[in-house]
Amino acid sequence: MAVKQTQQKKSPGINWVEIGKLTLLVLLVSGLAVGLAKPLAGQLQQHLGLDLRGGVHVVFEAVPTPDTPVTADSITRLAATIRNRVDALGVTEPVIQPEGTRRVVVELPGVKDPEEAVRLIGRTAHLEFKTEDGKTVLTGKDLKDARAQLNPASNEPEVLLKFDKEGARIFGQVTTANVKKRIAIYLDDKLLTAPVVDEPIPTGEAVIRGGYQTLEEAQREAVLLRSGALPVKVQLMEKRSVGPLLGKDSLERSLWAGIIGVALIFIFMILYYRLPGLVADLSLIVYGLIVVGIFLLIKATLTLPGIAGFILSIGMAVDANIIIYERLKEELKTGKTLRAAIDAGFHHAFRTILDANVTTLIAAAVLYYFGSGPIRGFAVTLSIGILTSMFTAITFTRFVLHLIARSRLILNPKAFGPGLGEVKA
Amino acid sequence: MNLIKLRKFWYLISLLVIIPGLVSLFTKGLNYGIDFTGGSLIEVKFERPVTPGEVRPLLVELRLSEGSRIQTSAGNTLLIRTRDLSQEESDRLLKGLQQKIGTLELLRNEKVGPAIGKELRNKAFLSLAIAFALMIIYITIRFEFRFALAAIAALFHDIVVTVGLVSLLGLEVEGAFIAALLTIVGYSINDTIVIFDRIRENLGKRKKEPLDEVIHNSILQTLARSINTVLTVIFCLVALIIFGGVTIRAFIITMLIGVISGAYSSIFNASPIWYDLRRLSTS
């Protein structure tokens, strides 16, 4: 009798230890997803691209003139001058970088008035002091400082200029030689004021007045003068400014699109693949957490095409699971046990997934190499998505399926998809 | 009867889609946006609805009306496309709008110089060519050269279908169009490879079966996967089209066309072409 009993026990029952592990895992993943959703979203908000938070992207191209040919050095100086001006604007996280041999790309996220910013950055701010015979005696490069102030006597806004040592010396000479004559001050070839010299000025200080309506206006000019003249003539090649309103709208809309798209995938996978479909959904959550984690780690900038790339990559991430499950079903149909079918399914599926994804990665790499700005962001998100989906499909999905098999919790073949015969543990 | 024996029928369906697209492409061309043509685009939102008629006189007054287009959309939004504006011109236009129509919020102000468009087009061709070359190399290494040729032929199909339909529908072609095309290329080849992979596997197992039977069965075995995957991608894309906002709509529709074409060509073109190539080279 005792022997018979042990023989009966051999028929496999539910393995509670594995079910415990499975429950823990499900709780862990859903807990992580719920707990991390808000902090991760908050973190991501700090890496939004211009199109999502508003801001401006401009490309300046240096135009050679007979006086100032465009050289590598002049582009470096151009970028430096632009950086000075941007810093004076107080923009956080600006991007200023030379592109190619003649261009400088400037990105200013989150500026309140993008138009004004572009106007200020691109201004040539070429300051000239001319004597009555039209000779330029001093330029902006002799300048040490420029400050806006209200004239103590007339309460009019004005800009106080201080020349450097050499500039002060020349200014002293010029004012000595031109007493009772006019010295004209030009900014960007526009006459600002032409005061009469009453007496020689040896201190190297001068005042521009008469051209400003408000103190702010004088301050802007002072910023331009302080940060120096652009070393070359520039042309605005490209400008894309996005107001904060549109940025916010785009972000909300793409978030909704993402949530709905993903929800549809989740439902579809459960309806079509049943239990493994549920596992795929779980695996997609892990996928999402990893991808967002990588985005934060590499400080990827999230743009609208980038989000589209991410959402698309979720659609493609399911593909790895689908390939595996279709294989799994085939293996089950040949009469293999569940565990053997899982192993065989993964073995066959992996080669397919690898070959299929490498070719997509090639396209993404080409996009990254030749694209710029948002297209690069799209390529990066797409590539991270592809690599992560391969990883989660062959590690997480496989692990959970094995847990289910070992737990012997579900043996009804219908749980693995319609049209299957008996499933053996 | 099998899928391979019916291949002329599948080719015909492809031609029926491709030919109208090509005709449109050669007669109407593509609706290039400012990324390619150069120009300015200003999008503003007013506190009240506006009509293009209210804005037209302002453009005439500022001498910006030549070649310009004014569009209005829901939410009191106005979209103005003009030639390449200088900062002063765009300032004047915005000031004029504020005076004539009322308080506005600037949503977008884009300007692209004419030289950029040409560069972009050259880059597009170059990147497609390089992507193709790299894929041919990879597939030739992992499979064989004829598989690579058939896969690339299917890719050409997808590009011609997409570009043709984009022309036919008059969708605006912007910089992101290149990204859409290359993603389609990536998706379509991915799809094709899964089927080729199965053919490669079955060729080893079923040496006695006629080739067309092997291919037919391989396609059937991977059919559920092909359909399910394209469905999940379509879910995402349709959600993006409906809820994703106007700025990326043309981009996503382009992608949708390409993905559907990619799924079709993987099943109905790539394998039959490979079959024809193989018959040609063995006979």
Side-chain angles (χ1 to χ4, degrees), chain B residues 42-46 48 50-51 54-56 58-59 62 70 78-80 90-104 106:
Chain B
I42 290 177
E43 190 175 355
V44 286
K45 191 174 177 174
F46 292 99
R48 65 174 178 85
V50 279
T51 59
E54 284 178 90
V55 186
R56 179 64 60 190
L58 179 67
L59 288 186
L62 295 173
I70 306 170
L78 188 71
L79 202 65
I80 304 172
S90 112
D91 286 348
R92 244 179 287 152
L93 177 57
L94 287 170
K95 213 177 222 169
L97 286 171
Q98 196 129 22
Q99 278 165 1
K100 292 231 158 102
I101 296 168
T103 315
L104 60 85
L106 184 62

PDB file of all heavy atoms in Angstrom, chain B residues 42-46 48 50-51 54-56 58-59 62 70 78-80 90-104 106:
ATOM      1  N   ILE B  42       5.380  80.038 -40.097  1.00  0.00           N
ATOM      2  CA  ILE B  42       5.031  80.638 -38.812  1.00  0.00           C
ATOM      3  C   ILE B  42       3.681  80.105 -38.373  1.00  0.00           C
ATOM      4  O   ILE B  42       2.730  80.082 -39.149  1.00  0.00           O
ATOM      5  CB  ILE B  42       4.993  82.178 -38.934  1.00  0.00           C
ATOM      6  CG1 ILE B  42       6.417  82.702 -39.132  1.00  0.00           C
ATOM      7  CG2 ILE B  42       4.373  82.815 -37.688  1.00  0.00           C
ATOM      8  CD1 ILE B  42       6.502  84.187 -39.346  1.00  0.00           C
ATOM      9  N   GLU B  43       3.620  79.624 -37.167  1.00  0.00           N
ATOM     10  CA  GLU B  43       2.358  79.112 -36.648  1.00  0.00           C
ATOM     11  C   GLU B  43       2.004  79.912 -35.397  1.00  0.00           C
ATOM     12  O   GLU B  43       2.796  80.003 -34.463  1.00  0.00           O
ATOM     13  CB  GLU B  43       2.478  77.632 -36.303  1.00  0.00           C
ATOM     14  CG  GLU B  43       1.150  76.984 -35.985  1.00  0.00           C
ATOM     15  CD  GLU B  43       1.253  75.480 -35.765  1.00  0.00           C
ATOM     16  OE1 GLU B  43       2.343  74.913 -35.950  1.00  0.00           O
ATOM     17  OE2 GLU B  43       0.240  74.894 -35.379  1.00  0.00           O
ATOM     18  N   VAL B  44       0.825  80.537 -35.429  1.00  0.00           N
ATOM     19  CA  VAL B  44       0.417  81.340 -34.278  1.00  0.00           C
ATOM     20  C   VAL B  44      -0.988  80.960 -33.844  1.00  0.00           C
ATOM     21  O   VAL B  44      -1.785  80.448 -34.624  1.00  0.00           O
ATOM     22  CB  VAL B  44       0.435  82.859 -34.593  1.00  0.00           C
ATOM     23  CG1 VAL B  44       1.844  83.381 -34.656  1.00  0.00           C
ATOM     24  CG2 VAL B  44      -0.307  83.145 -35.880  1.00  0.00           C
ATOM     25  N   LYS B  45      -1.281  81.221 -32.585  1.00  0.00           N
ATOM     26  CA  LYS B  45      -2.603  80.921 -32.060  1.00  0.00           C
ATOM     27  C   LYS B  45      -3.226  82.217 -31.572  1.00  0.00           C
ATOM     28  O   LYS B  45      -2.603  82.963 -30.820  1.00  0.00           O
ATOM     29  CB  LYS B  45      -2.463  79.936 -30.905  1.00  0.00           C
ATOM     30  CG  LYS B  45      -3.772  79.367 -30.462  1.00  0.00           C
ATOM     31  CD  LYS B  45      -3.531  78.291 -29.416  1.00  0.00           C
ATOM     32  CE  LYS B  45      -4.861  77.775 -28.921  1.00  0.00           C
ATOM     33  NZ  LYS B  45      -4.690  76.651 -28.016  1.00  0.00           N
ATOM     34  N   PHE B  46      -4.458  82.482 -32.028  1.00  0.00           N
ATOM     35  CA  PHE B  46      -5.144  83.711 -31.625  1.00  0.00           C
ATOM     36  C   PHE B  46      -6.194  83.416 -30.576  1.00  0.00           C
ATOM     37  O   PHE B  46      -6.499  82.262 -30.287  1.00  0.00           O
ATOM     38  CB  PHE B  46      -5.812  84.372 -32.836  1.00  0.00           C
ATOM     39  CG  PHE B  46      -4.832  84.905 -33.836  1.00  0.00           C
ATOM     40  CD1 PHE B  46      -4.531  84.172 -34.974  1.00  0.00           C
ATOM     41  CD2 PHE B  46      -4.207  86.118 -33.626  1.00  0.00           C
ATOM     42  CE1 PHE B  46      -3.624  84.655 -35.894  1.00  0.00           C
ATOM     43  CE2 PHE B  46      -3.297  86.602 -34.541  1.00  0.00           C
ATOM     44  CZ  PHE B  46      -3.007  85.879 -35.671  1.00  0.00           C
ATOM     45  N   ARG B  48      -9.238  84.387 -31.051  1.00  0.00           N
ATOM     46  CA  ARG B  48     -10.484  84.149 -31.772  1.00  0.00           C
ATOM     47  C   ARG B  48     -10.167  83.471 -33.111  1.00  0.00           C
ATOM     48  O   ARG B  48      -9.024  83.517 -33.565  1.00  0.00           O
ATOM     49  CB  ARG B  48     -11.207  85.482 -32.013  1.00  0.00           C
ATOM     50  CG  ARG B  48     -10.435  86.424 -32.926  1.00  0.00           C
ATOM     51  CD  ARG B  48     -11.262  87.655 -33.255  1.00  0.00           C
ATOM     52  NE  ARG B  48     -10.521  88.581 -34.098  1.00  0.00           N
ATOM     53  CZ  ARG B  48     -10.460  88.507 -35.416  1.00  0.00           C
ATOM     54  NH1 ARG B  48     -11.063  87.531 -36.061  1.00  0.00           N
ATOM     55  NH2 ARG B  48      -9.772  89.397 -36.107  1.00  0.00           N
ATOM     56  N   VAL B  50      -9.699  82.819 -36.991  1.00  0.00           N
ATOM     57  CA  VAL B  50      -9.341  83.711 -38.100  1.00  0.00           C
ATOM     58  C   VAL B  50      -9.512  82.973 -39.422  1.00  0.00           C
ATOM     59  O   VAL B  50      -9.497  81.752 -39.471  1.00  0.00           O
ATOM     60  CB  VAL B  50      -7.872  84.183 -38.020  1.00  0.00           C
ATOM     61  CG1 VAL B  50      -7.718  85.325 -37.061  1.00  0.00           C
ATOM     62  CG2 VAL B  50      -6.962  83.038 -37.657  1.00  0.00           C
ATOM     63  N   THR B  51      -9.677  83.747 -40.492  1.00  0.00           N
ATOM     64  CA  THR B  51      -9.750  83.147 -41.818  1.00  0.00           C
ATOM     65  C   THR B  51      -8.538  83.601 -42.611  1.00  0.00           C
ATOM     66  O   THR B  51      -7.985  84.669 -42.338  1.00  0.00           O
ATOM     67  CB  THR B  51     -11.017  83.613 -42.565  1.00  0.00           C
ATOM     68  OG1 THR B  51     -10.958  85.037 -42.664  1.00  0.00           O
ATOM     69  CG2 THR B  51     -12.281  83.194 -41.836  1.00  0.00           C
ATOM     70  N   GLU B  54      -8.484  87.205 -43.911  1.00  0.00           N
ATOM     71  CA  GLU B  54      -8.130  88.324 -43.043  1.00  0.00           C
ATOM     72  C   GLU B  54      -6.626  88.611 -43.069  1.00  0.00           C
ATOM     73  O   GLU B  54      -6.197  89.713 -42.760  1.00  0.00           O
ATOM     74  CB  GLU B  54      -8.516  87.999 -41.595  1.00  0.00           C
ATOM     75  CG  GLU B  54      -9.991  88.111 -41.288  1.00  0.00           C
ATOM     76  CD  GLU B  54     -10.263  87.719 -39.849  1.00  0.00           C
ATOM     77  OE1 GLU B  54     -10.225  88.585 -38.974  1.00  0.00           O
ATOM     78  OE2 GLU B  54     -10.468  86.511 -39.611  1.00  0.00           O
ATOM     79  N   VAL B  55      -5.868  87.553 -43.384  1.00  0.00           N
ATOM     80  CA  VAL B  55      -4.415  87.661 -43.273  1.00  0.00           C
ATOM     81  C   VAL B  55      -3.769  88.035 -44.595  1.00  0.00           C
ATOM     82  O   VAL B  55      -2.746  88.722 -44.634  1.00  0.00           O
ATOM     83  CB  VAL B  55      -3.833  86.321 -42.758  1.00  0.00           C
ATOM     84  CG1 VAL B  55      -2.351  86.445 -42.501  1.00  0.00           C
ATOM     85  CG2 VAL B  55      -4.555  85.892 -41.495  1.00  0.00           C
ATOM     86  N   ARG B  56      -4.424  87.615 -45.686  1.00  0.00           N
ATOM     87  CA  ARG B  56      -3.861  87.817 -47.022  1.00  0.00           C
ATOM     88  C   ARG B  56      -3.421  89.270 -47.287  1.00  0.00           C
ATOM     89  O   ARG B  56      -2.291  89.503 -47.729  1.00  0.00           O
ATOM     90  CB  ARG B  56      -4.881  87.314 -48.061  1.00  0.00           C
ATOM     91  CG  ARG B  56      -4.531  87.430 -49.521  1.00  0.00           C
ATOM     92  CD  ARG B  56      -3.342  86.625 -49.973  1.00  0.00           C
ATOM     93  NE  ARG B  56      -3.428  85.190 -49.783  1.00  0.00           N
ATOM     94  CZ  ARG B  56      -2.358  84.391 -49.953  1.00  0.00           C
ATOM     95  NH1 ARG B  56      -1.195  84.891 -50.301  1.00  0.00           N
ATOM     96  NH2 ARG B  56      -2.489  83.106 -49.759  1.00  0.00           N
ATOM     97  N   LEU B  58      -2.423  91.551 -45.350  1.00  0.00           N
ATOM     98  CA  LEU B  58      -1.217  91.871 -44.600  1.00  0.00           C
ATOM     99  C   LEU B  58       0.025  91.354 -45.332  1.00  0.00           C
ATOM    100  O   LEU B  58       1.036  92.047 -45.455  1.00  0.00           O
ATOM    101  CB  LEU B  58      -1.294  91.261 -43.202  1.00  0.00           C
ATOM    102  CG  LEU B  58      -0.077  91.507 -42.307  1.00  0.00           C
ATOM    103  CD1 LEU B  58       0.044  92.982 -41.950  1.00  0.00           C
ATOM    104  CD2 LEU B  58      -0.141  90.653 -41.054  1.00  0.00           C
ATOM    105  N   LEU B  59      -0.096  90.133 -45.857  1.00  0.00           N
ATOM    106  CA  LEU B  59       1.036  89.560 -46.597  1.00  0.00           C
ATOM    107  C   LEU B  59       1.336  90.387 -47.842  1.00  0.00           C
ATOM    108  O   LEU B  59       2.491  90.613 -48.191  1.00  0.00           O
ATOM    109  CB  LEU B  59       0.743  88.106 -46.985  1.00  0.00           C
ATOM    110  CG  LEU B  59       0.769  87.080 -45.866  1.00  0.00           C
ATOM    111  CD1 LEU B  59       0.607  85.674 -46.432  1.00  0.00           C
ATOM    112  CD2 LEU B  59       2.052  87.158 -45.067  1.00  0.00           C
ATOM    113  N   LEU B  62       3.065  93.561 -46.869  1.00  0.00           N
ATOM    114  CA  LEU B  62       4.468  93.356 -46.495  1.00  0.00           C
ATOM    115  C   LEU B  62       5.290  92.758 -47.644  1.00  0.00           C
ATOM    116  O   LEU B  62       6.448  92.446 -47.481  1.00  0.00           O
ATOM    117  CB  LEU B  62       4.571  92.446 -45.268  1.00  0.00           C
ATOM    118  CG  LEU B  62       4.000  92.986 -43.962  1.00  0.00           C
ATOM    119  CD1 LEU B  62       4.009  91.922 -42.882  1.00  0.00           C
ATOM    120  CD2 LEU B  62       4.805  94.191 -43.500  1.00  0.00           C
ATOM    121  N   ILE B  70      -1.588  80.176 -46.724  1.00  0.00           N
ATOM    122  CA  ILE B  70      -2.148  80.410 -45.395  1.00  0.00           C
ATOM    123  C   ILE B  70      -3.121  79.291 -45.078  1.00  0.00           C
ATOM    124  O   ILE B  70      -3.985  78.957 -45.873  1.00  0.00           O
ATOM    125  CB  ILE B  70      -2.894  81.762 -45.339  1.00  0.00           C
ATOM    126  CG1 ILE B  70      -1.967  82.882 -45.813  1.00  0.00           C
ATOM    127  CG2 ILE B  70      -3.382  82.050 -43.931  1.00  0.00           C
ATOM    128  CD1 ILE B  70      -2.679  84.195 -46.025  1.00  0.00           C
ATOM    129  N   LEU B  78      -3.221  79.500 -36.890  1.00  0.00           N
ATOM    130  CA  LEU B  78      -2.942  79.986 -38.231  1.00  0.00           C
ATOM    131  C   LEU B  78      -1.540  79.544 -38.622  1.00  0.00           C
ATOM    132  O   LEU B  78      -0.601  79.685 -37.849  1.00  0.00           O
ATOM    133  CB  LEU B  78      -3.022  81.513 -38.219  1.00  0.00           C
ATOM    134  CG  LEU B  78      -2.947  82.226 -39.549  1.00  0.00           C
ATOM    135  CD1 LEU B  78      -4.220  81.988 -40.341  1.00  0.00           C
ATOM    136  CD2 LEU B  78      -2.748  83.713 -39.320  1.00  0.00           C
ATOM    137  N   LEU B  79      -1.444  79.004 -39.832  1.00  0.00           N
ATOM    138  CA  LEU B  79      -0.151  78.531 -40.319  1.00  0.00           C
ATOM    139  C   LEU B  79       0.183  79.311 -41.586  1.00  0.00           C
ATOM    140  O   LEU B  79      -0.563  79.273 -42.547  1.00  0.00           O
ATOM    141  CB  LEU B  79      -0.259  77.037 -40.618  1.00  0.00           C
ATOM    142  CG  LEU B  79       1.010  76.214 -40.641  1.00  0.00           C
ATOM    143  CD1 LEU B  79       1.655  76.173 -39.272  1.00  0.00           C
ATOM    144  CD2 LEU B  79       0.691  74.797 -41.094  1.00  0.00           C
ATOM    145  N   ILE B  80       1.289  80.019 -41.561  1.00  0.00           N
ATOM    146  CA  ILE B  80       1.666  80.814 -42.733  1.00  0.00           C
ATOM    147  C   ILE B  80       3.006  80.337 -43.265  1.00  0.00           C
ATOM    148  O   ILE B  80       3.988  80.275 -42.529  1.00  0.00           O
ATOM    149  CB  ILE B  80       1.785  82.316 -42.371  1.00  0.00           C
ATOM    150  CG1 ILE B  80       0.483  82.807 -41.744  1.00  0.00           C
ATOM    151  CG2 ILE B  80       2.111  83.133 -43.603  1.00  0.00           C
ATOM    152  CD1 ILE B  80       0.593  84.211 -41.189  1.00  0.00           C
ATOM    153  N   SER B  90      10.181  88.695 -40.392  1.00  0.00           N
ATOM    154  CA  SER B  90       9.309  87.866 -39.565  1.00  0.00           C
ATOM    155  C   SER B  90       8.788  88.675 -38.371  1.00  0.00           C
ATOM    156  O   SER B  90       7.651  88.518 -37.941  1.00  0.00           O
ATOM    157  CB  SER B  90      10.028  86.580 -39.159  1.00  0.00           C
ATOM    158  OG  SER B  90      10.292  86.533 -37.800  1.00  0.00           O
ATOM    159  N   ASP B  91       9.631  89.580 -37.845  1.00  0.00           N
ATOM    160  CA  ASP B  91       9.169  90.477 -36.774  1.00  0.00           C
ATOM    161  C   ASP B  91       8.008  91.342 -37.240  1.00  0.00           C
ATOM    162  O   ASP B  91       7.012  91.514 -36.538  1.00  0.00           O
ATOM    163  CB  ASP B  91      10.313  91.398 -36.320  1.00  0.00           C
ATOM    164  CG  ASP B  91      11.336  90.654 -35.490  1.00  0.00           C
ATOM    165  OD1 ASP B  91      11.034  89.505 -35.097  1.00  0.00           O
ATOM    166  OD2 ASP B  91      12.424  91.194 -35.252  1.00  0.00           O
ATOM    167  N   ARG B  92       8.186  91.900 -38.470  1.00  0.00           N
ATOM    168  CA  ARG B  92       7.151  92.791 -39.006  1.00  0.00           C
ATOM    169  C   ARG B  92       5.839  92.029 -39.203  1.00  0.00           C
ATOM    170  O   ARG B  92       4.763  92.537 -38.897  1.00  0.00           O
ATOM    171  CB  ARG B  92       7.619  93.389 -40.337  1.00  0.00           C
ATOM    172  CG  ARG B  92       7.792  94.909 -40.261  1.00  0.00           C
ATOM    173  CD  ARG B  92       8.272  95.451 -41.578  1.00  0.00           C
ATOM    174  NE  ARG B  92       9.674  95.105 -41.791  1.00  0.00           N
ATOM    175  CZ  ARG B  92      10.224  94.953 -42.997  1.00  0.00           C
ATOM    176  NH1 ARG B  92       9.506  95.095 -44.086  1.00  0.00           N
ATOM    177  NH2 ARG B  92      11.497  94.667 -43.105  1.00  0.00           N
ATOM    178  N   LEU B  93       5.965  90.803 -39.697  1.00  0.00           N
ATOM    179  CA  LEU B  93       4.768  89.997 -39.930  1.00  0.00           C
ATOM    180  C   LEU B  93       4.038  89.720 -38.607  1.00  0.00           C
ATOM    181  O   LEU B  93       2.820  89.869 -38.498  1.00  0.00           O
ATOM    182  CB  LEU B  93       5.165  88.684 -40.621  1.00  0.00           C
ATOM    183  CG  LEU B  93       4.046  87.684 -40.888  1.00  0.00           C
ATOM    184  CD1 LEU B  93       2.945  88.306 -41.712  1.00  0.00           C
ATOM    185  CD2 LEU B  93       4.586  86.446 -41.585  1.00  0.00           C
ATOM    186  N   LEU B  94       4.799  89.351 -37.588  1.00  0.00           N
ATOM    187  CA  LEU B  94       4.182  89.035 -36.305  1.00  0.00           C
ATOM    188  C   LEU B  94       3.529  90.277 -35.689  1.00  0.00           C
ATOM    189  O   LEU B  94       2.440  90.207 -35.132  1.00  0.00           O
ATOM    190  CB  LEU B  94       5.228  88.453 -35.348  1.00  0.00           C
ATOM    191  CG  LEU B  94       5.655  87.020 -35.673  1.00  0.00           C
ATOM    192  CD1 LEU B  94       6.848  86.599 -34.845  1.00  0.00           C
ATOM    193  CD2 LEU B  94       4.491  86.063 -35.442  1.00  0.00           C
ATOM    194  N   LYS B  95       4.226  91.405 -35.811  1.00  0.00           N
ATOM    195  CA  LYS B  95       3.693  92.652 -35.278  1.00  0.00           C
ATOM    196  C   LYS B  95       2.385  92.992 -35.999  1.00  0.00           C
ATOM    197  O   LYS B  95       1.398  93.382 -35.367  1.00  0.00           O
ATOM    198  CB  LYS B  95       4.717  93.765 -35.481  1.00  0.00           C
ATOM    199  CG  LYS B  95       4.696  94.817 -34.373  1.00  0.00           C
ATOM    200  CD  LYS B  95       5.789  95.836 -34.627  1.00  0.00           C
ATOM    201  CE  LYS B  95       6.512  96.201 -33.345  1.00  0.00           C
ATOM    202  NZ  LYS B  95       7.731  96.977 -33.638  1.00  0.00           N
ATOM    203  N   GLY B  96       2.400  92.846 -37.344  1.00  0.00           N
ATOM    204  CA  GLY B  96       1.224  93.136 -38.148  1.00  0.00           C
ATOM    205  C   GLY B  96       0.047  92.263 -37.742  1.00  0.00           C
ATOM    206  O   GLY B  96      -1.089  92.731 -37.632  1.00  0.00           O
ATOM    207  N   LEU B  97       0.303  90.986 -37.518  1.00  0.00           N
ATOM    208  CA  LEU B  97      -0.762  90.062 -37.125  1.00  0.00           C
ATOM    209  C   LEU B  97      -1.356  90.491 -35.789  1.00  0.00           C
ATOM    210  O   LEU B  97      -2.576  90.482 -35.587  1.00  0.00           O
ATOM    211  CB  LEU B  97      -0.217  88.640 -37.013  1.00  0.00           C
ATOM    212  CG  LEU B  97       0.084  87.908 -38.314  1.00  0.00           C
ATOM    213  CD1 LEU B  97       0.806  86.611 -38.032  1.00  0.00           C
ATOM    214  CD2 LEU B  97      -1.206  87.633 -39.081  1.00  0.00           C
ATOM    215  N   GLN B  98      -0.490  90.886 -34.901  1.00  0.00           N
ATOM    216  CA  GLN B  98      -0.927  91.309 -33.578  1.00  0.00           C
ATOM    217  C   GLN B  98      -1.829  92.549 -33.696  1.00  0.00           C
ATOM    218  O   GLN B  98      -2.863  92.627 -33.053  1.00  0.00           O
ATOM    219  CB  GLN B  98       0.295  91.639 -32.730  1.00  0.00           C
ATOM    220  CG  GLN B  98       0.017  91.728 -31.261  1.00  0.00           C
ATOM    221  CD  GLN B  98       0.986  90.873 -30.453  1.00  0.00           C
ATOM    222  OE1 GLN B  98       2.065  90.546 -30.920  1.00  0.00           O
ATOM    223  NE2 GLN B  98       0.605  90.483 -29.262  1.00  0.00           N
ATOM    224  N   GLN B  99      -1.420  93.489 -34.565  1.00  0.00           N
ATOM    225  CA  GLN B  99      -2.195  94.715 -34.717  1.00  0.00           C
ATOM    226  C   GLN B  99      -3.520  94.452 -35.405  1.00  0.00           C
ATOM    227  O   GLN B  99      -4.560  94.966 -35.009  1.00  0.00           O
ATOM    228  CB  GLN B  99      -1.402  95.746 -35.514  1.00  0.00           C
ATOM    229  CG  GLN B  99      -0.398  96.508 -34.655  1.00  0.00           C
ATOM    230  CD  GLN B  99       0.620  97.240 -35.490  1.00  0.00           C
ATOM    231  OE1 GLN B  99       0.575  97.192 -36.724  1.00  0.00           O
ATOM    232  NE2 GLN B  99       1.554  97.897 -34.831  1.00  0.00           N
ATOM    233  N   LYS B 100      -3.503  93.644 -36.505  1.00  0.00           N
ATOM    234  CA  LYS B 100      -4.705  93.473 -37.314  1.00  0.00           C
ATOM    235  C   LYS B 100      -5.696  92.501 -36.699  1.00  0.00           C
ATOM    236  O   LYS B 100      -6.899  92.643 -36.852  1.00  0.00           O
ATOM    237  CB  LYS B 100      -4.317  92.972 -38.715  1.00  0.00           C
ATOM    238  CG  LYS B 100      -3.567  94.036 -39.508  1.00  0.00           C
ATOM    239  CD  LYS B 100      -4.194  94.231 -40.868  1.00  0.00           C
ATOM    240  CE  LYS B 100      -3.835  95.585 -41.428  1.00  0.00           C
ATOM    241  NZ  LYS B 100      -2.795  95.598 -42.425  1.00  0.00           N
ATOM    242  N   ILE B 101      -5.192  91.468 -36.045  1.00  0.00           N
ATOM    243  CA  ILE B 101      -6.108  90.409 -35.635  1.00  0.00           C
ATOM    244  C   ILE B 101      -6.248  90.314 -34.119  1.00  0.00           C
ATOM    245  O   ILE B 101      -7.331  90.081 -33.609  1.00  0.00           O
ATOM    246  CB  ILE B 101      -5.680  89.067 -36.248  1.00  0.00           C
ATOM    247  CG1 ILE B 101      -5.801  89.197 -37.755  1.00  0.00           C
ATOM    248  CG2 ILE B 101      -6.562  87.927 -35.768  1.00  0.00           C
ATOM    249  CD1 ILE B 101      -5.181  88.120 -38.529  1.00  0.00           C
ATOM    250  N   GLY B 102      -5.194  90.513 -33.420  1.00  0.00           N
ATOM    251  CA  GLY B 102      -5.319  90.505 -31.969  1.00  0.00           C
ATOM    252  C   GLY B 102      -4.186  89.774 -31.297  1.00  0.00           C
ATOM    253  O   GLY B 102      -3.230  89.341 -31.950  1.00  0.00           O
ATOM    254  N   THR B 103      -4.339  89.634 -30.013  1.00  0.00           N
ATOM    255  CA  THR B 103      -3.300  88.999 -29.214  1.00  0.00           C
ATOM    256  C   THR B 103      -3.021  87.607 -29.757  1.00  0.00           C
ATOM    257  O   THR B 103      -3.942  86.866 -30.084  1.00  0.00           O
ATOM    258  CB  THR B 103      -3.762  88.888 -27.755  1.00  0.00           C
ATOM    259  OG1 THR B 103      -4.346  90.117 -27.389  1.00  0.00           O
ATOM    260  CG2 THR B 103      -2.594  88.571 -26.842  1.00  0.00           C
ATOM    261  N   LEU B 104      -1.745  87.296 -29.850  1.00  0.00           N
ATOM    262  CA  LEU B 104      -1.404  85.980 -30.382  1.00  0.00           C
ATOM    263  C   LEU B 104      -0.329  85.346 -29.545  1.00  0.00           C
ATOM    264  O   LEU B 104       0.408  86.010 -28.815  1.00  0.00           O
ATOM    265  CB  LEU B 104      -0.937  86.091 -31.827  1.00  0.00           C
ATOM    266  CG  LEU B 104       0.295  86.944 -32.137  1.00  0.00           C
ATOM    267  CD1 LEU B 104       1.573  86.178 -31.950  1.00  0.00           C
ATOM    268  CD2 LEU B 104       0.204  87.450 -33.566  1.00  0.00           C
ATOM    269  N   LEU B 106       2.920  82.830 -30.196  1.00  0.00           N
ATOM    270  CA  LEU B 106       3.737  82.239 -31.250  1.00  0.00           C
ATOM    271  C   LEU B 106       3.992  80.775 -30.910  1.00  0.00           C
ATOM    272  O   LEU B 106       4.573  80.457 -29.887  1.00  0.00           O
ATOM    273  CB  LEU B 106       5.064  82.994 -31.366  1.00  0.00           C
ATOM    274  CG  LEU B 106       5.984  82.550 -32.485  1.00  0.00           C
ATOM    275  CD1 LEU B 106       5.357  82.747 -33.841  1.00  0.00           C
ATOM    276  CD2 LEU B 106       7.309  83.301 -32.415  1.00  0.00           C
TER     277      LEU B 106
END
